[in-house]
Amino acid sequence: MFETITLFENKTDSAYFDEKGNDLYEVTFKVSAEKLKADSTGMETPVAINDWIDIGIYGKNMAGKDSLIYLKKHKITQKENDFRINVKSKPRKAGIDPLHKLIDRHSDDNTKSLVKRKAEPAS
C-alpha cells in the first residue's frame, strides 16, 4: 500500500496575449503551483515544490479544435510563477500541466482562456 500520496494544486491565475506581427504572438500568464503529501489517513502536509512540470499553450487546428502549439517542461520551485512565451500560431488558452499528468485536486483550473491585451495609446 502507499505510505504517502503526492498531490498538486496547480492553477492558471491570468493569461493574456499580444500580437507582435508576422504571425508572432507573445503569451503572458501567471500560474501557481503547490505540492502536498497525504498519508494513509488523508492528512495533507505541504512540501517544497521542486519539480519539472509541463507548461502548455493551445491554438486551433485545421478542424477548429484546441491543439497544443507549445508544450515544454519548466522547473517549478516556487508557488507563484510568471511566463512569457512566443508562439507562431494564434493562441487560445494557456496553463500549467495542461494534459493533467499530475494528481491535482482541482484540475479544471489548470488552463485559462487567453484575453487579447489592449493596445496602449500612442503618446
Side-chain angles (χ1 to χ4, degrees):
M1 301 304 282
F2 297 116
E3 288 184 31
T4 63
I5 298 169
T6 302
L7 303 168
F8 288 84
E9 185 56 55
N10 297 321
K11 179 181 180 185
T12 300
D13 298 310
S14 63
Y16 303 93
F17 77 92
D18 293 306
E19 290 185 59
K20 295 296 186 181
N22 296 330
D23 292 327
L24 185 65
Y25 300 87
E26 183 178 80
V27 180
T28 305
F29 55 106
K30 294 178 182 287
V31 303
S32 60
E34 295 180 78
K35 186 175 180 180
L36 306 126
K37 295 278 186 184
D39 64 19
S40 61
T41 65
M43 177 66 95
E44 294 179 359
T45 306
V47 293
I49 192 163
N50 186 22
D51 296 88
W52 289 92
I53 300 177
D54 287 337
I55 299 298
I57 300 172
Y58 286 89
K60 268 189 184 177
N61 64 17
M62 297 298 276
K65 305 228 185 226
D66 284 341
S67 178
L68 280 166
I69 57 175
Y70 176 91
L71 183 65
K72 185 176 177 184
K73 290 192 179 298
H74 290 259
K75 182 82 173 230
I76 306 294
T77 59
Q78 57 192 20
K79 181 178 179 178
E80 303 297 327
N81 300 273
D82 296 328
F83 293 94
R84 180 170 284 155
I85 299 167
N86 291 320
V87 293
K88 293 185 178 186
S89 297
K90 187 173 182 180
R92 294 176 42 84
K93 62 183 180 178
I96 184 168
D97 189 29
L99 300 175
H100 308 292
K101 293 178 182 176
L102 303 173
I103 301 171
D104 192 327
R105 295 187 308 175
H106 304 101
S107 62
D108 59 334
D109 61 3
N110 286 16
T111 59
K112 191 171 188 90
S113 293
L114 291 161
V115 176
K116 184 176 180 181
R117 199 179 300 266
K118 294 180 180 168
E120 295 181 17
S123 338

